[in-house]
Amino acid sequence: MSRRRIALLTGGGDAPGLNAVIRAVVKSAVGRGWEVLGIRDGFEGLLSRSGLMPLVADDVRGILQTGGTILGSSNRGDPFRFPEEKDGKVVRVDRSAEVVAKIKTLSLDALIVIGGDGSLSIAQRLGEMGVPVVGIPKTIDNDVVGTDLTFGFNTACQTAMAAIDRLHTTAASHHRVMVIEVMGRDAGWIALKAGASGGGDVILIPEIPYSIQAICQKFAEREARGARFSLVVVSEGAHPEGAGKVVAQTADKSRTGYERLGGVGHALAREIEDSYDTECRVTVLGHVQRGGTPTTMDRMLGTRFGVGAVNMVEAGEFQRMVALRCEQITSAPLADVTGALKLVDPDGEEVRALESIGVSFGRPRRGSEADV
Ligand code: F6P
């Protein structure tokens, strides 16, 4: 087996399980006699002098159980649209050729990119420029196409569910509507899974625009049965039907390249209080969902993805992403999985099952659904 030199980076938002992936890549590669370079702070590390760190087995000892990433991450370093200040303004500059040159200078046999759709799209474009890349899907949002799961999602759901459990008792004690805003951007997976597991009465996701009347109808039905409180789990990207828009903290995309979502919980609480005689309280979980010790599932998935990616490098399977499908580790071409998001099916089995037991998704109830 020939000696290889590989590098890995973590791009975009951190996710619990990242260190499990890094640990698995390093152990698996070092075990084959290969050299591993860690790139600091995502793609930015390939454009700076101090962005590289050699990684050996000792460097990954004791990190399996820690959140975050020992490599650091960034969502500002897209080399194709690198932000630079000019005359007090942020302008975008294409520095991809520098990245490709750096990879050649380093004589890398492979670049492993651990990231969500944004970082994987960058990896795909670098692949088109001749860089041998392997992707590993990461995001708490679970919205990467081509894989049943991304690591980080399970821990985020666990954190959100635990918060909903705590809010349940205080909601019941005070006869209030508790609104819990969770992350997920354009995908409602966290709201769906954590909301369902936490016994949410109303779950609002971007894939199903909500009607305030349908939400209030659910409160009224519960109240008629003596339940004078409700739990509303709302995904940050959820929006009202009609011309309703997502709520953003800031529309300024100049630094990150994307709109920073957040605030729908408060907007919704105001709407609810205006339409229904109740008292609302709002909890925005925010980045709490990105931190903490990873669950068993995320440590295991991260480890399998890390080893799977190294196996792909050995087999020369480049321009592909390691994936989980039907419990098996497999892979998919980056070109097929980037540029689109895996979203919740509004009429899928999970949504229908929840509706059949009385969960409201903020849309009018259909005849077959229970009022329970
Ligand atoms: O993609 C992961 C995620 O946590 C989203 O759920 C959220 O909208 C976004 O990242 C927040 O990004 P930032 O860390 O830039 O605030």
Side-chain angles (χ1 to χ4, degrees), residues 10-242:
T10 55
D14 64 343
L18 265 173
N19 284 330
V21 181
I22 296 167
R23 174 179 175 271
V25 167
V26 171
K27 281 178 167 258
S28 183
V30 168
R32 296 168 209 228
W34 300 1
E35 194 185 342
V36 184
L37 290 176
I39 298 168
R40 290 197 177 93
D41 300 334
F43 290 99
E44 270 184 50
L46 283 168
L47 292 165
S48 74
R49 282 175 185 277
S50 55
L52 298 173
M53 58 197 269
L55 290 173
V56 295
D58 281 355
D59 297 312
V60 295
R61 187 165 300 133
I63 66 168
L64 183 60
Q65 55 276 48
T66 59
T69 156
I70 59 163
L71 293 176
S73 196
S74 167
N75 31 27
R76 283 181 301 179
D78 179 348
F80 294 93
R81 302 181 66 247
F82 200 80
E84 277 177 12
E85 294 243 352
K86 269 201 186 120
D87 306 327
K89 274 191 175 171
V90 180
V91 292
R92 298 276 164 177
V93 181
D94 185 351
R95 296 184 64 185
S96 56
E98 272 175 75
V99 166
V100 175
K102 178 82 171 249
I103 289 167
K104 279 208 177 105
T105 313
L106 291 168
S107 307
L108 292 182
D109 293 300
L111 173 67
I112 297 181
V113 173
I114 314 171
D117 181 59
S119 303
L120 294 172
S121 298
I122 296 169
Q124 145 72 5
R125 292 180 72 184
L126 290 176
E128 283 171 358
M129 293 170 80
V131 176
V133 288
V134 169
I136 300 184
K138 166 240 62 167
T139 166
I140 64 163
D141 303 341
N142 195 36
D143 58 1
V144 176
V145 172
T147 183
D148 294 344
L149 273 180
T150 54
F151 69 86
F153 172 62
N154 184 259
T155 309
C157 287
Q158 189 69 29
T159 302
M161 184 192 73
I164 298 165
D165 285 349
R166 283 165 189 256
L167 292 165
H168 198 146
T169 48
T170 172
S173 305
H174 285 268
H175 315 297
R176 282 173 172 159
V177 168
M178 287 293 187
V179 175
I180 306 111
E181 179 182 313
V182 299
M183 281 185 163
R185 290 204 69 82
D186 304 308
W189 295 108
I190 299 178
L192 176 74
K193 305 273 183 174
S197 317
D201 305 296
V202 177
I203 298 175
L204 304 177
I205 59 176
E207 295 86 345
I208 304 178
Y210 64 82
S211 122
I212 203 76
Q213 288 76 24
I215 295 170
C216 294
Q217 188 194 335
K218 178 69 193 169
F219 300 153
E221 288 164 5
R222 282 177 56 75
E223 213 169 309
R225 291 193 314 278
R228 290 164 55 209
F229 72 98
S230 289
L231 296 169
V232 179
V233 181
V234 58
S235 181
E236 62 181 357
H239 50 89
E241 62 186 7

Side-chain angles (χ1 to χ4, degrees), residues 335-365:
D336 293 354
V337 298
T338 49
L341 296 176
K342 183 183 72 182
L343 301 176
V344 175
D345 178 355
D347 289 309
E349 177 271 326
E350 284 179 310
V351 170
R352 287 201 170 274
L354 293 169
E355 282 182 327
S356 78
I357 58 164
V359 175
S360 168
F361 281 83
R363 61 184 170 186
R365 198 147 37 80

